[in-house]
Amino acid sequence: MPEKVYRATFSRLLSGKPNEFQGLIAIRDDRSVGITHYLFHRHCWRVENVCYLQDLYVDASDRGTGVGRALIEGVYAAADTEGTPAVYWTTQDFNVVGRRLYDRIGELTPFIKYIRPLG
């Protein structure tokens, strides 16, 4: 990513504004081992907002140790605090390791994601 994207992302994460991204970081032995960020937004099929878990990353050496689960459960807890029971995320179909976790703590939906082509 270009540097301006990193700067904008962290500015949003640190803004404290309720309509901006929020984040969680996992620390083990004074070392950052994982991060996630999420966003609450309106939804046309619900009265309450929903929570989009946009990104989850766990250091390769800490995968399989519960860090990813703890981060997702932290997002679940934040959503519950906000009165937002619906949390959703996407992943790549070939993300075998991540999907083993997601299959245990989430529900696979039949949706397929499309995006606008760029360029």
Side-chain angles (χ1 to χ4, degrees):
M1 292 284 139
E3 182 65 26
K4 72 178 187 178
V5 173
Y6 286 117
R7 288 182 189 276
T9 296
F10 279 93
S11 175
R12 292 170 182 162
L13 282 167
L14 299 174
S15 76
K17 295 178 182 175
N19 63 332
E20 284 288 5
F21 281 97
Q22 298 179 45
L24 300 171
I25 188 165
I27 298 174
R28 175 179 283 149
D29 300 325
D30 296 324
R31 183 174 64 92
S32 301
V33 296
I35 188 170
T36 187
H37 49 85
Y38 56 95
L39 176 73
F40 297 112
H41 66 88
R42 298 215 183 272
H43 196 285
C44 289
W45 299 344
R46 294 179 174 269
V47 173
E48 69 278 354
N49 286 340
V50 298
C51 180
Y52 174 46
L53 191 165
Q54 186 182 32
D55 205 6
L56 172 73
Y57 175 79
V58 174
D59 187 88
S61 64
D62 289 279
R63 292 181 187 155
T65 66
V67 173
R69 174 185 284 272
L71 287 167
I72 293 171
E73 287 177 348
V75 173
Y76 285 175
D80 289 344
T81 298
E82 290 293 315
T84 304
V87 178
Y88 71 100
W89 63 93
T90 62
T91 193
Q92 296 162 317
D93 63 351
F94 56 84
N95 181 5
V96 176
V97 175
R99 291 185 66 187
R100 280 196 297 259
L101 169 62
Y102 306 155
D103 287 343
R104 288 193 306 271
I105 63 172
E107 181 180 324
L108 180 64
T109 73
F111 284 91
I112 298 169
K113 178 183 176 185
Y114 286 86
I115 62 171
R116 178 183 179 183
L118 301 177

PDB file of all heavy atoms in Angstrom, residues 67-104:
ATOM      1  N   VAL A  67      -4.708 -16.386  19.305  1.00  0.00           N
ATOM      2  CA  VAL A  67      -4.674 -14.934  19.108  1.00  0.00           C
ATOM      3  C   VAL A  67      -5.799 -14.494  18.176  1.00  0.00           C
ATOM      4  O   VAL A  67      -6.530 -13.540  18.461  1.00  0.00           O
ATOM      5  CB  VAL A  67      -3.299 -14.467  18.582  1.00  0.00           C
ATOM      6  CG1 VAL A  67      -3.333 -12.988  18.208  1.00  0.00           C
ATOM      7  CG2 VAL A  67      -2.217 -14.738  19.609  1.00  0.00           C
ATOM      8  N   GLY A  68      -5.958 -15.167  17.042  1.00  0.00           N
ATOM      9  CA  GLY A  68      -7.018 -14.812  16.092  1.00  0.00           C
ATOM     10  C   GLY A  68      -8.390 -14.922  16.722  1.00  0.00           C
ATOM     11  O   GLY A  68      -9.234 -14.032  16.565  1.00  0.00           O
ATOM     12  N   ARG A  69      -8.629 -16.010  17.434  1.00  0.00           N
ATOM     13  CA  ARG A  69      -9.911 -16.194  18.129  1.00  0.00           C
ATOM     14  C   ARG A  69     -10.148 -15.059  19.121  1.00  0.00           C
ATOM     15  O   ARG A  69     -11.241 -14.496  19.183  1.00  0.00           O
ATOM     16  CB  ARG A  69      -9.946 -17.534  18.843  1.00  0.00           C
ATOM     17  CG  ARG A  69     -11.197 -17.721  19.701  1.00  0.00           C
ATOM     18  CD  ARG A  69     -11.163 -19.010  20.501  1.00  0.00           C
ATOM     19  NE  ARG A  69     -11.443 -20.154  19.668  1.00  0.00           N
ATOM     20  CZ  ARG A  69     -12.672 -20.619  19.427  1.00  0.00           C
ATOM     21  NH1 ARG A  69     -13.719 -20.021  19.950  1.00  0.00           N
ATOM     22  NH2 ARG A  69     -12.841 -21.667  18.663  1.00  0.00           N
ATOM     23  N   ALA A  70      -9.127 -14.720  19.892  1.00  0.00           N
ATOM     24  CA  ALA A  70      -9.277 -13.650  20.885  1.00  0.00           C
ATOM     25  C   ALA A  70      -9.601 -12.321  20.214  1.00  0.00           C
ATOM     26  O   ALA A  70     -10.444 -11.553  20.714  1.00  0.00           O
ATOM     27  CB  ALA A  70      -8.006 -13.531  21.727  1.00  0.00           C
ATOM     28  N   LEU A  71      -8.964 -12.022  19.096  1.00  0.00           N
ATOM     29  CA  LEU A  71      -9.249 -10.774  18.392  1.00  0.00           C
ATOM     30  C   LEU A  71     -10.677 -10.753  17.851  1.00  0.00           C
ATOM     31  O   LEU A  71     -11.391  -9.752  17.989  1.00  0.00           O
ATOM     32  CB  LEU A  71      -8.241 -10.551  17.265  1.00  0.00           C
ATOM     33  CG  LEU A  71      -6.844 -10.143  17.728  1.00  0.00           C
ATOM     34  CD1 LEU A  71      -5.849 -10.253  16.579  1.00  0.00           C
ATOM     35  CD2 LEU A  71      -6.850  -8.732  18.300  1.00  0.00           C
ATOM     36  N   ILE A  72     -11.112 -11.848  17.245  1.00  0.00           N
ATOM     37  CA  ILE A  72     -12.486 -11.900  16.731  1.00  0.00           C
ATOM     38  C   ILE A  72     -13.484 -11.815  17.880  1.00  0.00           C
ATOM     39  O   ILE A  72     -14.480 -11.084  17.792  1.00  0.00           O
ATOM     40  CB  ILE A  72     -12.714 -13.158  15.885  1.00  0.00           C
ATOM     41  CG1 ILE A  72     -11.881 -13.081  14.601  1.00  0.00           C
ATOM     42  CG2 ILE A  72     -14.198 -13.325  15.544  1.00  0.00           C
ATOM     43  CD1 ILE A  72     -11.862 -14.353  13.784  1.00  0.00           C
ATOM     44  N   GLU A  73     -13.224 -12.519  18.967  1.00  0.00           N
ATOM     45  CA  GLU A  73     -14.126 -12.431  20.113  1.00  0.00           C
ATOM     46  C   GLU A  73     -14.128 -11.025  20.711  1.00  0.00           C
ATOM     47  O   GLU A  73     -15.149 -10.566  21.224  1.00  0.00           O
ATOM     48  CB  GLU A  73     -13.752 -13.485  21.153  1.00  0.00           C
ATOM     49  CG  GLU A  73     -14.141 -14.882  20.679  1.00  0.00           C
ATOM     50  CD  GLU A  73     -13.724 -15.991  21.627  1.00  0.00           C
ATOM     51  OE1 GLU A  73     -12.928 -15.733  22.572  1.00  0.00           O
ATOM     52  OE2 GLU A  73     -14.173 -17.133  21.407  1.00  0.00           O
ATOM     53  N   GLY A  74     -13.002 -10.318  20.605  1.00  0.00           N
ATOM     54  CA  GLY A  74     -12.967  -8.915  21.026  1.00  0.00           C
ATOM     55  C   GLY A  74     -13.874  -8.043  20.170  1.00  0.00           C
ATOM     56  O   GLY A  74     -14.552  -7.147  20.674  1.00  0.00           O
ATOM     57  N   VAL A  75     -13.907  -8.322  18.870  1.00  0.00           N
ATOM     58  CA  VAL A  75     -14.820  -7.598  17.975  1.00  0.00           C
ATOM     59  C   VAL A  75     -16.262  -7.964  18.316  1.00  0.00           C
ATOM     60  O   VAL A  75     -17.133  -7.088  18.367  1.00  0.00           O
ATOM     61  CB  VAL A  75     -14.503  -7.879  16.495  1.00  0.00           C
ATOM     62  CG1 VAL A  75     -15.549  -7.258  15.578  1.00  0.00           C
ATOM     63  CG2 VAL A  75     -13.114  -7.369  16.146  1.00  0.00           C
ATOM     64  N   TYR A  76     -16.525  -9.254  18.561  1.00  0.00           N
ATOM     65  CA  TYR A  76     -17.873  -9.670  18.984  1.00  0.00           C
ATOM     66  C   TYR A  76     -18.298  -8.908  20.241  1.00  0.00           C
ATOM     67  O   TYR A  76     -19.423  -8.420  20.332  1.00  0.00           O
ATOM     68  CB  TYR A  76     -17.912 -11.161  19.291  1.00  0.00           C
ATOM     69  CG  TYR A  76     -17.899 -12.111  18.119  1.00  0.00           C
ATOM     70  CD1 TYR A  76     -17.839 -13.484  18.348  1.00  0.00           C
ATOM     71  CD2 TYR A  76     -17.960 -11.687  16.793  1.00  0.00           C
ATOM     72  CE1 TYR A  76     -17.844 -14.391  17.297  1.00  0.00           C
ATOM     73  CE2 TYR A  76     -17.959 -12.581  15.746  1.00  0.00           C
ATOM     74  CZ  TYR A  76     -17.898 -13.942  16.003  1.00  0.00           C
ATOM     75  OH  TYR A  76     -17.907 -14.840  14.971  1.00  0.00           O
ATOM     76  N   ALA A  77     -17.400  -8.775  21.213  1.00  0.00           N
ATOM     77  CA  ALA A  77     -17.717  -8.074  22.460  1.00  0.00           C
ATOM     78  C   ALA A  77     -17.988  -6.593  22.199  1.00  0.00           C
ATOM     79  O   ALA A  77     -18.922  -6.015  22.767  1.00  0.00           O
ATOM     80  CB  ALA A  77     -16.578  -8.242  23.465  1.00  0.00           C
ATOM     81  N   ALA A  78     -17.186  -5.968  21.323  1.00  0.00           N
ATOM     82  CA  ALA A  78     -17.418  -4.559  20.984  1.00  0.00           C
ATOM     83  C   ALA A  78     -18.776  -4.390  20.306  1.00  0.00           C
ATOM     84  O   ALA A  78     -19.509  -3.441  20.588  1.00  0.00           O
ATOM     85  CB  ALA A  78     -16.301  -4.041  20.081  1.00  0.00           C
ATOM     86  N   ALA A  79     -19.111  -5.328  19.432  1.00  0.00           N
ATOM     87  CA  ALA A  79     -20.412  -5.264  18.754  1.00  0.00           C
ATOM     88  C   ALA A  79     -21.553  -5.431  19.756  1.00  0.00           C
ATOM     89  O   ALA A  79     -22.558  -4.711  19.683  1.00  0.00           O
ATOM     90  CB  ALA A  79     -20.487  -6.344  17.669  1.00  0.00           C
ATOM     91  N   ASP A  80     -21.403  -6.352  20.688  1.00  0.00           N
ATOM     92  CA  ASP A  80     -22.441  -6.539  21.715  1.00  0.00           C
ATOM     93  C   ASP A  80     -22.608  -5.271  22.544  1.00  0.00           C
ATOM     94  O   ASP A  80     -23.736  -4.856  22.838  1.00  0.00           O
ATOM     95  CB  ASP A  80     -22.088  -7.710  22.623  1.00  0.00           C
ATOM     96  CG  ASP A  80     -22.219  -9.055  21.923  1.00  0.00           C
ATOM     97  OD1 ASP A  80     -22.855  -9.132  20.848  1.00  0.00           O
ATOM     98  OD2 ASP A  80     -21.663 -10.041  22.462  1.00  0.00           O
ATOM     99  N   THR A  81     -21.515  -4.633  22.905  1.00  0.00           N
ATOM    100  CA  THR A  81     -21.567  -3.386  23.672  1.00  0.00           C
ATOM    101  C   THR A  81     -22.309  -2.299  22.906  1.00  0.00           C
ATOM    102  O   THR A  81     -23.050  -1.504  23.485  1.00  0.00           O
ATOM    103  CB  THR A  81     -20.139  -2.910  24.021  1.00  0.00           C
ATOM    104  OG1 THR A  81     -19.521  -3.899  24.838  1.00  0.00           O
ATOM    105  CG2 THR A  81     -20.156  -1.579  24.754  1.00  0.00           C
ATOM    106  N   GLU A  82     -22.148  -2.276  21.590  1.00  0.00           N
ATOM    107  CA  GLU A  82     -22.806  -1.287  20.740  1.00  0.00           C
ATOM    108  C   GLU A  82     -24.248  -1.669  20.398  1.00  0.00           C
ATOM    109  O   GLU A  82     -24.922  -0.933  19.691  1.00  0.00           O
ATOM    110  CB  GLU A  82     -22.017  -1.102  19.443  1.00  0.00           C
ATOM    111  CG  GLU A  82     -20.694  -0.414  19.617  1.00  0.00           C
ATOM    112  CD  GLU A  82     -20.838   1.042  20.034  1.00  0.00           C
ATOM    113  OE1 GLU A  82     -21.684   1.763  19.457  1.00  0.00           O
ATOM    114  OE2 GLU A  82     -20.108   1.451  20.944  1.00  0.00           O
ATOM    115  N   GLY A  83     -24.702  -2.832  20.839  1.00  0.00           N
ATOM    116  CA  GLY A  83     -26.052  -3.281  20.490  1.00  0.00           C
ATOM    117  C   GLY A  83     -26.145  -3.700  19.036  1.00  0.00           C
ATOM    118  O   GLY A  83     -27.193  -3.565  18.400  1.00  0.00           O
ATOM    119  N   THR A  84     -25.051  -4.203  18.519  1.00  0.00           N
ATOM    120  CA  THR A  84     -24.924  -4.575  17.113  1.00  0.00           C
ATOM    121  C   THR A  84     -24.606  -6.070  17.028  1.00  0.00           C
ATOM    122  O   THR A  84     -23.439  -6.453  17.007  1.00  0.00           O
ATOM    123  CB  THR A  84     -23.780  -3.755  16.474  1.00  0.00           C
ATOM    124  OG1 THR A  84     -24.057  -2.378  16.660  1.00  0.00           O
ATOM    125  CG2 THR A  84     -23.631  -4.037  15.002  1.00  0.00           C
ATOM    126  N   PRO A  85     -25.612  -6.927  17.013  1.00  0.00           N
ATOM    127  CA  PRO A  85     -25.330  -8.369  17.067  1.00  0.00           C
ATOM    128  C   PRO A  85     -24.705  -8.944  15.794  1.00  0.00           C
ATOM    129  O   PRO A  85     -24.031  -9.960  15.848  1.00  0.00           O
ATOM    130  CB  PRO A  85     -26.695  -8.986  17.322  1.00  0.00           C
ATOM    131  CG  PRO A  85     -27.672  -7.994  16.790  1.00  0.00           C
ATOM    132  CD  PRO A  85     -27.033  -6.641  16.997  1.00  0.00           C
ATOM    133  N   ALA A  86     -24.912  -8.305  14.664  1.00  0.00           N
ATOM    134  CA  ALA A  86     -24.432  -8.854  13.394  1.00  0.00           C
ATOM    135  C   ALA A  86     -22.991  -8.411  13.129  1.00  0.00           C
ATOM    136  O   ALA A  86     -22.698  -7.230  13.018  1.00  0.00           O
ATOM    137  CB  ALA A  86     -25.332  -8.415  12.246  1.00  0.00           C
ATOM    138  N   VAL A  87     -22.078  -9.379  13.036  1.00  0.00           N
ATOM    139  CA  VAL A  87     -20.680  -9.148  12.677  1.00  0.00           C
ATOM    140  C   VAL A  87     -20.401 -10.003  11.452  1.00  0.00           C
ATOM    141  O   VAL A  87     -20.758 -11.177  11.418  1.00  0.00           O
ATOM    142  CB  VAL A  87     -19.721  -9.554  13.815  1.00  0.00           C
ATOM    143  CG1 VAL A  87     -18.264  -9.356  13.396  1.00  0.00           C
ATOM    144  CG2 VAL A  87     -20.025  -8.760  15.089  1.00  0.00           C
ATOM    145  N   TYR A  88     -19.764  -9.410  10.451  1.00  0.00           N
ATOM    146  CA  TYR A  88     -19.452 -10.184   9.252  1.00  0.00           C
ATOM    147  C   TYR A  88     -18.066  -9.834   8.745  1.00  0.00           C
ATOM    148  O   TYR A  88     -17.507  -8.797   9.088  1.00  0.00           O
ATOM    149  CB  TYR A  88     -20.501  -9.956   8.156  1.00  0.00           C
ATOM    150  CG  TYR A  88     -20.448  -8.586   7.511  1.00  0.00           C
ATOM    151  CD1 TYR A  88     -19.821  -8.418   6.281  1.00  0.00           C
ATOM    152  CD2 TYR A  88     -21.008  -7.475   8.120  1.00  0.00           C
ATOM    153  CE1 TYR A  88     -19.765  -7.162   5.678  1.00  0.00           C
ATOM    154  CE2 TYR A  88     -20.958  -6.226   7.531  1.00  0.00           C
ATOM    155  CZ  TYR A  88     -20.332  -6.076   6.312  1.00  0.00           C
ATOM    156  OH  TYR A  88     -20.263  -4.848   5.724  1.00  0.00           O
ATOM    157  N   TRP A  89     -17.493 -10.730   7.945  1.00  0.00           N
ATOM    158  CA  TRP A  89     -16.190 -10.511   7.319  1.00  0.00           C
ATOM    159  C   TRP A  89     -16.093 -11.375   6.085  1.00  0.00           C
ATOM    160  O   TRP A  89     -16.915 -12.258   5.865  1.00  0.00           O
ATOM    161  CB  TRP A  89     -15.037 -10.793   8.287  1.00  0.00           C
ATOM    162  CG  TRP A  89     -14.908 -12.200   8.780  1.00  0.00           C
ATOM    163  CD1 TRP A  89     -14.140 -13.192   8.242  1.00  0.00           C
ATOM    164  CD2 TRP A  89     -15.558 -12.792   9.913  1.00  0.00           C
ATOM    165  NE1 TRP A  89     -14.261 -14.347   8.965  1.00  0.00           N
ATOM    166  CE2 TRP A  89     -15.127 -14.128  10.004  1.00  0.00           C
ATOM    167  CE3 TRP A  89     -16.459 -12.307  10.874  1.00  0.00           C
ATOM    168  CZ2 TRP A  89     -15.569 -14.986  11.004  1.00  0.00           C
ATOM    169  CZ3 TRP A  89     -16.897 -13.174  11.861  1.00  0.00           C
ATOM    170  CH2 TRP A  89     -16.451 -14.487  11.913  1.00  0.00           C
ATOM    171  N   THR A  90     -15.097 -11.090   5.280  1.00  0.00           N
ATOM    172  CA  THR A  90     -14.824 -11.901   4.093  1.00  0.00           C
ATOM    173  C   THR A  90     -13.415 -12.451   4.215  1.00  0.00           C
ATOM    174  O   THR A  90     -12.600 -11.943   4.979  1.00  0.00           O
ATOM    175  CB  THR A  90     -14.949 -11.085   2.787  1.00  0.00           C
ATOM    176  OG1 THR A  90     -13.974 -10.044   2.802  1.00  0.00           O
ATOM    177  CG2 THR A  90     -16.340 -10.491   2.626  1.00  0.00           C
ATOM    178  N   THR A  91     -13.137 -13.490   3.464  1.00  0.00           N
ATOM    179  CA  THR A  91     -11.786 -14.029   3.393  1.00  0.00           C
ATOM    180  C   THR A  91     -11.584 -14.640   2.022  1.00  0.00           C
ATOM    181  O   THR A  91     -12.551 -14.840   1.276  1.00  0.00           O
ATOM    182  CB  THR A  91     -11.524 -15.068   4.504  1.00  0.00           C
ATOM    183  OG1 THR A  91     -10.118 -15.332   4.562  1.00  0.00           O
ATOM    184  CG2 THR A  91     -12.286 -16.356   4.265  1.00  0.00           C
ATOM    185  N   GLN A  92     -10.360 -14.930   1.710  1.00  0.00           N
ATOM    186  CA  GLN A  92     -10.070 -15.577   0.432  1.00  0.00           C
ATOM    187  C   GLN A  92     -10.412 -17.059   0.539  1.00  0.00           C
ATOM    188  O   GLN A  92     -10.188 -17.677   1.581  1.00  0.00           O
ATOM    189  CB  GLN A  92      -8.597 -15.383   0.084  1.00  0.00           C
ATOM    190  CG  GLN A  92      -8.271 -13.925  -0.136  1.00  0.00           C
ATOM    191  CD  GLN A  92      -6.787 -13.642  -0.041  1.00  0.00           C
ATOM    192  OE1 GLN A  92      -6.103 -14.146   0.838  1.00  0.00           O
ATOM    193  NE2 GLN A  92      -6.296 -12.811  -0.943  1.00  0.00           N
ATOM    194  N   ASP A  93     -10.940 -17.613  -0.543  1.00  0.00           N
ATOM    195  CA  ASP A  93     -11.363 -19.011  -0.495  1.00  0.00           C
ATOM    196  C   ASP A  93     -10.204 -19.955  -0.221  1.00  0.00           C
ATOM    197  O   ASP A  93     -10.383 -21.032   0.329  1.00  0.00           O
ATOM    198  CB  ASP A  93     -12.125 -19.416  -1.758  1.00  0.00           C
ATOM    199  CG  ASP A  93     -11.296 -19.329  -3.030  1.00  0.00           C
ATOM    200  OD1 ASP A  93     -10.162 -18.805  -3.014  1.00  0.00           O
ATOM    201  OD2 ASP A  93     -11.804 -19.789  -4.060  1.00  0.00           O
ATOM    202  N   PHE A  94      -8.982 -19.559  -0.535  1.00  0.00           N
ATOM    203  CA  PHE A  94      -7.822 -20.413  -0.322  1.00  0.00           C
ATOM    204  C   PHE A  94      -7.129 -20.175   1.027  1.00  0.00           C
ATOM    205  O   PHE A  94      -6.074 -20.752   1.297  1.00  0.00           O
ATOM    206  CB  PHE A  94      -6.809 -20.243  -1.464  1.00  0.00           C
ATOM    207  CG  PHE A  94      -6.353 -18.828  -1.675  1.00  0.00           C
ATOM    208  CD1 PHE A  94      -5.325 -18.291  -0.929  1.00  0.00           C
ATOM    209  CD2 PHE A  94      -6.982 -18.036  -2.628  1.00  0.00           C
ATOM    210  CE1 PHE A  94      -4.908 -16.979  -1.126  1.00  0.00           C
ATOM    211  CE2 PHE A  94      -6.568 -16.728  -2.840  1.00  0.00           C
ATOM    212  CZ  PHE A  94      -5.529 -16.205  -2.084  1.00  0.00           C
ATOM    213  N   ASN A  95      -7.718 -19.362   1.888  1.00  0.00           N
ATOM    214  CA  ASN A  95      -7.162 -19.095   3.215  1.00  0.00           C
ATOM    215  C   ASN A  95      -7.507 -20.265   4.147  1.00  0.00           C
ATOM    216  O   ASN A  95      -8.323 -20.161   5.051  1.00  0.00           O
ATOM    217  CB  ASN A  95      -7.701 -17.777   3.764  1.00  0.00           C
ATOM    218  CG  ASN A  95      -7.136 -17.437   5.132  1.00  0.00           C
ATOM    219  OD1 ASN A  95      -6.266 -18.111   5.660  1.00  0.00           O
ATOM    220  ND2 ASN A  95      -7.658 -16.369   5.714  1.00  0.00           N
ATOM    221  N   VAL A  96      -6.883 -21.390   3.907  1.00  0.00           N
ATOM    222  CA  VAL A  96      -7.214 -22.636   4.598  1.00  0.00           C
ATOM    223  C   VAL A  96      -7.021 -22.521   6.108  1.00  0.00           C
ATOM    224  O   VAL A  96      -7.891 -22.922   6.881  1.00  0.00           O
ATOM    225  CB  VAL A  96      -6.377 -23.808   4.026  1.00  0.00           C
ATOM    226  CG1 VAL A  96      -6.635 -25.091   4.791  1.00  0.00           C
ATOM    227  CG2 VAL A  96      -6.659 -23.983   2.551  1.00  0.00           C
ATOM    228  N   VAL A  97      -5.909 -21.958   6.542  1.00  0.00           N
ATOM    229  CA  VAL A  97      -5.632 -21.862   7.974  1.00  0.00           C
ATOM    230  C   VAL A  97      -6.651 -20.951   8.659  1.00  0.00           C
ATOM    231  O   VAL A  97      -7.233 -21.316   9.681  1.00  0.00           O
ATOM    232  CB  VAL A  97      -4.191 -21.363   8.221  1.00  0.00           C
ATOM    233  CG1 VAL A  97      -3.936 -21.134   9.701  1.00  0.00           C
ATOM    234  CG2 VAL A  97      -3.191 -22.363   7.655  1.00  0.00           C
ATOM    235  N   GLY A  98      -6.869 -19.774   8.093  1.00  0.00           N
ATOM    236  CA  GLY A  98      -7.845 -18.854   8.679  1.00  0.00           C
ATOM    237  C   GLY A  98      -9.244 -19.434   8.689  1.00  0.00           C
ATOM    238  O   GLY A  98      -9.975 -19.305   9.671  1.00  0.00           O
ATOM    239  N   ARG A  99      -9.609 -20.112   7.629  1.00  0.00           N
ATOM    240  CA  ARG A  99     -10.968 -20.656   7.534  1.00  0.00           C
ATOM    241  C   ARG A  99     -11.235 -21.758   8.552  1.00  0.00           C
ATOM    242  O   ARG A  99     -12.377 -21.945   8.967  1.00  0.00           O
ATOM    243  CB  ARG A  99     -11.249 -21.134   6.117  1.00  0.00           C
ATOM    244  CG  ARG A  99     -11.346 -19.927   5.156  1.00  0.00           C
ATOM    245  CD  ARG A  99     -11.741 -20.316   3.784  1.00  0.00           C
ATOM    246  NE  ARG A  99     -13.107 -20.829   3.793  1.00  0.00           N
ATOM    247  CZ  ARG A  99     -13.690 -21.379   2.748  1.00  0.00           C
ATOM    248  NH1 ARG A  99     -13.037 -21.509   1.612  1.00  0.00           N
ATOM    249  NH2 ARG A  99     -14.920 -21.809   2.823  1.00  0.00           N
ATOM    250  N   ARG A 100     -10.203 -22.460   8.988  1.00  0.00           N
ATOM    251  CA  ARG A 100     -10.416 -23.459  10.049  1.00  0.00           C
ATOM    252  C   ARG A 100     -10.912 -22.772  11.317  1.00  0.00           C
ATOM    253  O   ARG A 100     -11.805 -23.272  11.991  1.00  0.00           O
ATOM    254  CB  ARG A 100      -9.129 -24.236  10.327  1.00  0.00           C
ATOM    255  CG  ARG A 100      -8.872 -25.329   9.318  1.00  0.00           C
ATOM    256  CD  ARG A 100      -7.842 -26.333   9.803  1.00  0.00           C
ATOM    257  NE  ARG A 100      -6.526 -25.748  10.008  1.00  0.00           N
ATOM    258  CZ  ARG A 100      -5.514 -25.855   9.156  1.00  0.00           C
ATOM    259  NH1 ARG A 100      -5.654 -26.525   8.036  1.00  0.00           N
ATOM    260  NH2 ARG A 100      -4.364 -25.294   9.430  1.00  0.00           N
ATOM    261  N   LEU A 101     -10.338 -21.612  11.632  1.00  0.00           N
ATOM    262  CA  LEU A 101     -10.811 -20.839  12.778  1.00  0.00           C
ATOM    263  C   LEU A 101     -12.201 -20.285  12.503  1.00  0.00           C
ATOM    264  O   LEU A 101     -13.108 -20.411  13.325  1.00  0.00           O
ATOM    265  CB  LEU A 101      -9.834 -19.695  13.088  1.00  0.00           C
ATOM    266  CG  LEU A 101     -10.330 -18.644  14.087  1.00  0.00           C
ATOM    267  CD1 LEU A 101     -10.592 -19.269  15.450  1.00  0.00           C
ATOM    268  CD2 LEU A 101      -9.346 -17.497  14.173  1.00  0.00           C
ATOM    269  N   TYR A 102     -12.388 -19.672  11.345  1.00  0.00           N
ATOM    270  CA  TYR A 102     -13.664 -19.036  11.031  1.00  0.00           C
ATOM    271  C   TYR A 102     -14.815 -20.043  11.056  1.00  0.00           C
ATOM    272  O   TYR A 102     -15.925 -19.719  11.478  1.00  0.00           O
ATOM    273  CB  TYR A 102     -13.617 -18.346   9.668  1.00  0.00           C
ATOM    274  CG  TYR A 102     -12.490 -17.368   9.502  1.00  0.00           C
ATOM    275  CD1 TYR A 102     -11.995 -17.070   8.251  1.00  0.00           C
ATOM    276  CD2 TYR A 102     -11.888 -16.735  10.592  1.00  0.00           C
ATOM    277  CE1 TYR A 102     -10.951 -16.173   8.074  1.00  0.00           C
ATOM    278  CE2 TYR A 102     -10.847 -15.839  10.431  1.00  0.00           C
ATOM    279  CZ  TYR A 102     -10.381 -15.570   9.168  1.00  0.00           C
ATOM    280  OH  TYR A 102      -9.348 -14.685   9.004  1.00  0.00           O
ATOM    281  N   ASP A 103     -14.550 -21.257  10.613  1.00  0.00           N
ATOM    282  CA  ASP A 103     -15.588 -22.296  10.632  1.00  0.00           C
ATOM    283  C   ASP A 103     -15.990 -22.668  12.054  1.00  0.00           C
ATOM    284  O   ASP A 103     -17.109 -23.135  12.278  1.00  0.00           O
ATOM    285  CB  ASP A 103     -15.107 -23.548   9.889  1.00  0.00           C
ATOM    286  CG  ASP A 103     -15.076 -23.369   8.381  1.00  0.00           C
ATOM    287  OD1 ASP A 103     -15.714 -22.422   7.874  1.00  0.00           O
ATOM    288  OD2 ASP A 103     -14.408 -24.185   7.708  1.00  0.00           O
ATOM    289  N   ARG A 104     -15.108 -22.461  13.024  1.00  0.00           N
ATOM    290  CA  ARG A 104     -15.429 -22.781  14.418  1.00  0.00           C
ATOM    291  C   ARG A 104     -16.167 -21.648  15.122  1.00  0.00           C
ATOM    292  O   ARG A 104     -16.954 -21.903  16.033  1.00  0.00           O
ATOM    293  CB  ARG A 104     -14.156 -23.124  15.193  1.00  0.00           C
ATOM    294  CG  ARG A 104     -13.559 -24.465  14.809  1.00  0.00           C
ATOM    295  CD  ARG A 104     -12.486 -24.932  15.783  1.00  0.00           C
ATOM    296  NE  ARG A 104     -11.410 -23.989  16.020  1.00  0.00           N
ATOM    297  CZ  ARG A 104     -10.283 -23.920  15.302  1.00  0.00           C
ATOM    298  NH1 ARG A 104     -10.098 -24.724  14.284  1.00  0.00           N
ATOM    299  NH2 ARG A 104      -9.361 -23.034  15.607  1.00  0.00           N
TER     300      ARG A 104
END
